[in-house]
Amino acid sequence: QKNGISNGTLYKKTFIEHFEQAPMYVAVLTFLGFGVGTIFGYLRDFMRAWGLEKRNIAAEREQQKDFVPLYQDFENFYTRNLYMRIRDNWNRPICSVPGPQFDLMERVTDDYNWTFRFTGRTIKNVINMGSYNYLGFAETDVNALKTVTRELQKYGTGVCSTRQEMGTLDKHVELEKLVAKFLGVEDAMVFGMGFATNSMNIPALVGKGCLILSDELNHTSLVLGARLSGATIRIFKHNNMQSLEQLLRDAIIYGQPRSRRAWRKIIILVEGIYSMEGSIVRLPEIVSLKTKYKAYLYLDEAHSIGAVGATGRGVVEYFGMSPDDVDVLMGTFTKSFGAAGGYIAGKKDLVDFLRTHSHSAVYATSMCPPVAEQIIRAMKCLMGLDGTTQGLQRVRQLGKNTRYFRRRLHEMGFIIYGNDDSPVVPLLLYMPGKIGAFARRMLEKNIGVVVVGFPATPITESRARFCVSAAHTREMLDTVSTA
């Protein structure tokens, strides 16, 4: 089905997402495949228990039989009997820059994926459809990286201190001012790790007596940050404004459990682009709801900053909204900017508070200067401050590639999820046996893809996830779609 505009007065452009349902026979065959795999898994576990088959996986020692187990055996059942059969499709070692193409070290297994050995051969020029290199800034061009090389020679590789001690350099200050200018906000703070930007800062913003309303498909970093905060967490259905409004209304009416006191804060956690679904947040509707019920909005733009919007400024620009509509703007540099780390941006009071209270600022090592310079290089390119229009051209090329690739897959009859403007393109495989078969077949064609199955997705919705880049040529995308 297509999810169109639910409130046309809030949107300045057409908003269409595809979440087509699979035919009934596909769902039946998918469950049947998992059923057969489960039966054979129990049979093999029985053979291992009686010594009829070699047990490769870790087991509790006999001396510890009276101890409480470190892990539940059934939780490891999937790893032993299903994941291990297709394990060769993950953790493939790459030996080149992960640009539009990469080189892969060939490996084989002699014991059904329990161990691997390298053949010494390199698989050259594999088309990269799995990297978050949306704008193509993960590159090794000597001319482009001159400033990064200079900073590496000047500052070295590491800071060896936290921001609050000896770890704040002029390069960090320069980057933070540039991020604030890029986003159109008062101030910004950068962190050395994208995951920790969420998990270590959410607990600084909310705590006991606060309420977090989280989209059911939010990233693990948001989930962990919410749990660490000690706040009450309630989940709303993905991009479902009726579900969110019901939770907001109940929160206002009933307050905290037992005491019925008003919540100290209510904060809504959402992402710009959801990396497993390829969907874009319904930001205008969420901003309308958070204003109506006087809640705060925390927006994670890890996959959307640089990737959408006329000039790459994320979903706020994509919907033609003001940055002031969002209370906490978060994003990462690990994707569109070809670097590492993340940022929190917004009002100066917010950022000043985090400089003092953020666990990441107090305990985590500062971002290394060459990485900071790489982000500055990429961001200046996007803003046109390098004297060229190359950044804008990259953003436009990404949009063209995204729409072209999605249209080709639609025309070929594949079921794909997400928004037409999202560079994350999930192609549904459904059946567990297809996960490994699809990835292996694509690699035979010199195409590298990411395949995802349960528990990272619902059990009936295994998929291949393509990530489109501005660095992909039309010929590359044609090769992938016809493979």
Side-chain angles (χ1 to χ4, degrees):
Q1 70 187 56
K2 287 186 179 181
N3 294 333
I5 302 170
S6 62
N7 189 338
T9 61
L10 295 175
Y11 291 84
K12 299 177 182 179
K13 61 186 298 183
T14 305
F15 186 81
I16 298 177
E17 295 189 340
H18 304 267
F19 292 97
E20 181 181 347
Q21 296 295 315
M24 180 59 71
Y25 76 90
V26 173
V28 171
L29 290 175
T30 300
F31 278 110
L32 184 62
F34 275 105
V36 171
T38 301
I39 291 171
F40 275 90
Y42 278 119
L43 176 61
R44 298 189 70 177
D45 277 356
F46 174 80
M47 295 172 66
R48 293 182 188 118
W50 287 90
L52 301 175
E53 181 179 326
K54 182 181 178 182
R55 186 186 184 102
N56 292 291
I57 206 159
E60 296 281 1
R61 291 181 295 172
E62 184 66 24
Q63 297 93 316
Q64 295 176 314
K65 64 180 181 180
D66 295 327
F67 284 42
V68 176
L70 282 174
Y71 57 88
Q72 296 295 322
D73 187 63
F74 183 76
E75 293 176 2
N76 214 17
F77 177 86
Y78 182 87
T79 303
R80 291 195 305 270
N81 298 299
L82 295 175
Y83 168 74
M84 199 58 64
R85 298 171 67 89
I86 53 177
R87 181 172 168 236
D88 57 301
N89 298 293
W90 289 276
N91 306 315
R92 290 169 171 164
I94 297 169
C95 52
S96 69
V97 61
Q101 294 179 309
F102 58 76
D103 298 337
L104 196 65
M105 297 174 66
E106 186 181 62
R107 59 180 184 174
V108 296
T109 179
D110 302 312
D111 52 8
Y112 304 101
N113 294 337
W114 288 99
T115 61
F116 295 97
R117 60 180 175 83
F118 294 106
T119 64
R121 176 174 169 262
T122 301
I123 305 174
K124 297 282 188 178
N125 299 322
V126 178
I127 299 176
N128 181 5
M129 296 301 298
S131 174
Y132 301 136
N133 183 27
Y134 297 128
L135 295 179
F137 282 117
E139 55 195 353
T140 52
D141 181 69
V142 175
N143 293 322
L145 297 177
K146 280 182 179 178
T147 58
V148 179
T149 304
R150 185 178 66 242
E151 299 306 316
L152 176 62
Q153 293 171 342
K154 178 181 178 181
Y155 291 96
T157 57
V159 180
C160 303
S161 184
T162 69
R163 288 295 300 271
Q164 287 196 359
E165 294 174 328
M166 302 291 290
T168 296
L169 306 179
D170 57 347
K171 190 55 61 177
H172 298 133
V173 176
E174 179 187 352
L175 174 57
E176 288 172 348
K177 289 181 179 178
L178 188 64
V179 170
K181 183 178 179 181
F182 179 68
L183 296 173
V185 296
E186 294 179 3
D187 203 357
M189 184 176 183
V190 299
F191 305 88
M193 182 181 179
F195 190 99
T197 305
N198 278 331
S199 60
M200 295 289 100
N201 283 297
I202 294 174
L205 296 173
V206 291
K208 190 175 181 182
C210 299
L211 176 64
I212 293 175
L213 302 180
S214 179
D215 190 291
E216 65 179 342
L217 297 183
N218 274 343
H219 189 261
T220 306
S221 59
L222 288 168
V223 174
L224 179 61
R227 289 175 177 172
L228 289 174
S229 71
T232 301
I233 305 168
R234 289 177 185 159
I235 310 299
F236 63 92
K237 294 179 182 178
H238 175 56
N239 252 352
N240 188 311
M241 296 304 104
Q242 291 75 28
S243 175
L244 174 59
E245 184 167 18
Q246 184 62 52
L247 290 177
L248 283 166
R249 187 182 292 117
D250 290 347
I252 298 298
I253 294 172
Y254 299 112
Q256 299 184 42
R258 293 188 295 277
S259 70
R260 298 305 178 192
R261 292 178 180 173
W263 295 100
R264 289 173 52 209
K265 296 177 198 170
I266 301 175
I267 187 166
I268 303 167
L269 301 186
V270 293
E271 295 185 48
I273 292 179
Y274 291 84
S275 60
M276 280 296 171
E277 306 300 311
S279 56
I280 296 178
V281 65
R282 293 176 176 270
L283 189 62
E285 295 174 72
I286 290 181
V287 168
S288 177
L289 287 176
K290 77 104 177 177
T291 303
K292 178 180 178 181
Y293 292 98
K294 294 180 172 56
Y296 293 101
L297 176 58
Y298 185 110
L299 174 62
D300 178 345
E301 291 222 72
H303 289 269
S304 54
I305 193 69
V308 295
T311 59
R313 285 169 168 82
V315 292
V316 175
E317 182 183 53
Y318 177 80
F319 288 109
M321 302 178 71
S322 167
D324 293 335
D325 293 329
V326 181
D327 301 288
V328 186
L329 286 161
M330 177 270 171
T332 63
F333 305 118
T334 58
K335 299 166 178 68
S336 294
F337 299 95
Y343 66 82
I344 295 283
K347 298 292 185 185
K348 190 174 188 307
D349 289 346
L350 166 73
V351 177
D352 286 344
F353 176 83
L354 290 177
R355 292 189 196 281
T356 306
H357 293 85
S358 169
H359 295 293
S360 189
V362 177
Y363 300 110
T365 303
S366 300
M367 179 185 292
C368 65
V371 170
E373 177 57 33
Q374 160 64 13
I375 302 165
I376 291 170
R377 174 185 82 88
M379 197 166 286
K380 282 184 175 179
C381 182
L382 276 180
M383 299 170 72
L385 297 179
D386 61 348
T388 72
T389 60
Q390 187 188 86
L392 188 59
Q393 290 171 6
R394 291 187 187 222
V395 174
R396 290 174 177 172
Q397 187 61 46
L398 174 62
K400 290 178 182 178
N401 286 351
T402 295
R403 289 185 287 274
Y404 175 76
F405 188 63
R406 280 183 168 273
R407 186 174 68 251
R408 284 295 305 269
L409 294 181
H410 271 303
E411 291 170 352
M412 296 173 70
F414 290 106
I415 296 177
I416 61 174
Y417 278 0
N419 193 285
D420 286 347
D421 292 321
S422 168
V424 178
V425 187
L427 185 152
L428 276 293
L429 300 174
Y430 298 107
M431 302 177 198
K434 284 187 176 180
I435 301 175
F438 184 86
R440 292 169 188 146
R441 174 67 174 171
M442 295 297 276
L443 187 57
E444 290 174 5
K445 299 282 188 177
N446 259 36
I447 301 167
V449 300
V450 172
V451 286
V452 191
F454 180 81
T457 68
I459 194 167
T460 59
E461 295 183 12
S462 300
R463 64 196 66 177
R465 186 182 60 179
F466 298 102
C467 293
V468 182
S469 171
H472 287 137
T473 63
R474 186 63 60 89
E475 291 73 23
M476 290 178 186
L477 298 178
D478 287 337
T479 299
V480 173
S481 61
T482 56

